[in-house]
Amino acid sequence: MRFKGVVRIELSRSLNQDDSKALEEAIREVSLSLVKGFRDPEDGGRVLSWRSEDRFLVLEVESRRLRIDEAAMRVRNSLEASLGSSRRIGVRDIELESALVEIDGEIRVSTKLPFVKSIEAGDKQTTIHLKTLGEKDLKKPILLRLLRLLSEKELKAGWRGKTEHWQLVKESKIKFTTPITMEDPNKILEEAGLVKRFSIGQWLYTPLATYLMNMVREIFIREVVIPLGFTEAVFPKMYPLEIGLKTGHLRGTINSMVFASLPKTYNIEEFEELTDYMYVTNEAPPEEVGNYLRYPEYFLCYAQCEPFYWFFGGELIDDASIPVKWFDRSGPSFRWESGGIYGLERVIEFHRVEIVWLGRPEQVIQIRNELLSEYEKFMDRVLDIEWREAWVTPWYYEQSGAVERVEEFNIDRPGTIDFELWLPYRGPREDRKAWLEVGNLSIHGTKFTEPFRIKHNRGETLWTGCSGFGSQRWLTAFLAQRGFNPDNWPPKLRDYLNRNPPPEPVATVTYPKTRTGREELEKLVKFLWR
Ligand code: SER
Ligand code: ZN
């Protein structure tokens, strides 16, 4: 990235012959101020040329790492200090003209952005010309964010095509020399009628499917979440847009969020034309319905921990109130996955236990490490299945579109660990596609405490962490490895089955639909009721 621009400084009076020495000295000072703080002076700024015209000093400046707004302000402040003390000349005004930002690579930016005048896009380089900026503009956070956006775009353009970070951290031993089953549990659950497709990526879970999902989830909560001291809360599942602005979701994942709109009015009479139309035609055309709705002011639960940061946002936290350890399992999350929707494994509406915590960095790290070790016990001893853990691009970077380099695995640093379980029906263990990500475990550093302004009363740093347990995915992966026959289940799951009788499956004249489906259901009934 390179910046160029013309800084026009208005002085308190015209310069004359007597000022020339002081002026030359002042320009030298400006040059020094432009490289201040840069180890390599090349990274700072330079004065390419300068001239004085009556009361104006006009300097052509370029820079690399030093943002052009900062460079302009450094020019101003330096001149004010040196000319002020040597010649009692003040600075009246400053303008940055013809400023441009040159970026390596081809990037796309809207000319609707504030301060952008025009854009020249080449193959290897993009040049963004800025409008003339006054002193007030130069100090605005909008400009800072614009320039930050451009540098992120440049970084991303340089990384294009590189895969996301994935580093194996740990894996279980091989438990099944020959798999117990090679069947796809998604198929069985659907064919035997335990679940029925409601709409794309959405299912109805009959009582028996719900029972199975709850079994794995309840045991997880009982074995991992409660013993570690987390308590249950209920979070909203529809978020005002402002929340997504703070978490970054509206920038990073807007393409996969589901939005919600309120009606324009509560007065049912104002809907009459539409309701009459639907009555007579028995149709509900979305574009007509849309006319009666407000713009989407909400999006549906995406990461599930957002309300936690909102709750503590703006509050002052003391040592007695931390660590805070909560979990929420109260409702679904929504992700519009345009491609690749499959079975219960990749859906638009899913259920998750979201575990959240807040505290000082050392507390947050310790809680993460305790959770990690309990997760491992849960996978190894309770479900007794094959698993692995990977250090991945943190979800809070991925979902906020932030560009950050992922550092190598370090247990004491912010980052995300993914849990993956083997799906024998998809292929051998060596095949990356045969592993399903069922959950993750992260600490975020100050990624959320900063934008939400969660503060400690004595100014200590506060961090947060979260972990998501995808209920559908844990169940399907368990069934993919251990099958539907409880003889092949580990003791804690068999025990659950014995203590909690499962509900009857749905069997009507026409349901399940197919003969194989009916046979699958019969088999299942034999397995579960003995
Ligand atoms: N909030 C985290 C995520 O969305 C964990 O569930 O991945
Ligand atoms: Zn989360």
Side-chain angles (χ1 to χ4, degrees), residues 117-302:
K117 190 163 88 187
S118 64
I119 294 154
E120 282 167 65
D123 234 12
K124 296 220 173 78
Q125 191 175 297
T126 312
T127 309
I128 293 120
H129 298 271
L130 302 181
K131 294 181 181 153
T132 298
L133 301 161
E135 180 155 9
K136 265 206 208 122
D137 300 326
L138 291 169
K139 289 181 177 162
K140 270 187 190 152
I142 296 189
L143 184 65
L144 181 138
R145 288 195 291 261
L146 170 70
L147 297 172
R148 208 190 284 150
L149 173 77
L150 296 178
S151 80
E152 284 181 11
K153 279 184 186 270
E154 183 179 50
L155 253 177
K156 265 195 201 160
W159 286 356
R160 200 172 290 156
K162 293 197 185 137
T163 50
E164 71 174 272
H165 188 87
W166 188 95
Q167 183 191 352
L168 183 69
V169 172
K170 208 170 181 185
E171 57 193 331
S172 70
K173 58 179 198 296
I174 290 184
K175 300 189 175 181
F176 310 106
T177 33
T178 33
I180 291 174
T181 170
M182 297 289 273
E183 281 175 327
D184 176 353
N186 297 288
K187 285 213 171 105
I188 297 175
L189 288 166
E190 185 178 8
E191 272 175 11
L194 271 66
V195 295
K196 188 175 183 181
R197 191 187 304 274
F198 184 66
S199 180
I200 307 161
Q202 271 186 303
W203 297 89
L204 189 149
Y205 304 84
T206 65
L208 185 52
T210 306
Y211 172 91
L212 293 173
M213 206 152 75
N214 282 347
M215 170 178 73
V216 177
R217 188 175 80 155
E218 294 301 321
I219 297 176
F220 171 72
I221 291 175
R222 197 177 68 205
E223 298 283 326
V224 176
V225 183
I226 301 290
L228 286 178
F230 290 89
T231 48
E232 185 166 4
V234 173
F235 293 166
K237 295 291 173 285
M238 187 168 99
Y239 311 149
L241 293 182
E242 188 201 323
I243 299 276
L245 213 48
K246 284 204 174 127
T247 57
H249 281 96
L250 278 175
R251 276 191 65 200
T253 52
I254 190 159
N255 60 326
S256 60
M257 284 153 72
V258 181
F259 291 87
S261 287
L262 298 177
K264 276 184 183 162
T265 165
Y266 187 66
N267 181 0
I268 185 76
E269 280 158 26
E270 291 184 37
F271 291 82
E272 202 163 335
E273 240 180 82
L274 174 67
T275 48
D276 290 352
Y277 178 86
M278 293 190 293
Y279 182 83
V280 174
T281 61
N282 198 27
E283 272 173 17
E287 61 279 15
E288 286 298 320
V289 176
N291 287 332
Y292 292 79
L293 302 182
R294 275 151 65 163
Y295 288 120
E297 286 155 303
Y298 300 88
F299 64 99
L300 301 189
C301 171
Y302 194 91

Side-chain angles (χ1 to χ4, degrees), residues 438-507:
V438 292
N440 58 18
L441 176 56
S442 312
I443 39 184
H444 321 122
T446 58
K447 166 82 190 177
F448 297 115
T449 51
E450 265 170 21
F452 284 90
R453 297 178 192 280
I454 307 175
K455 295 228 167 79
H456 187 277
N457 64 333
R458 287 202 312 276
E460 306 275 341
T461 302
L462 291 174
W463 280 10
T464 55
C466 80
S467 174
F469 173 100
S471 305
Q472 281 86 346
R473 288 186 170 195
W474 278 91
L475 172 67
T476 46
F478 173 76
L479 294 171
Q481 289 193 35
R482 294 220 157 252
F484 286 86
N485 183 352
D487 286 344
N488 296 319
W489 292 0
K492 286 204 167 136
L493 286 103
R494 277 210 307 271
D495 193 51
Y496 186 94
L497 189 66
N498 293 335
R499 285 171 199 268
N500 307 280
E504 295 292 323
V506 182

Side-chain angles (χ1 to χ4, degrees), residues 302-303 305 335 352 354 395 399 440 466-468:
Y302 194 91
C305 45
R335 287 191 192 177
R352 162 168 58 182
E354 179 78 6
W395 71 263
Q399 294 180 18
N440 58 18
C466 80
S467 174

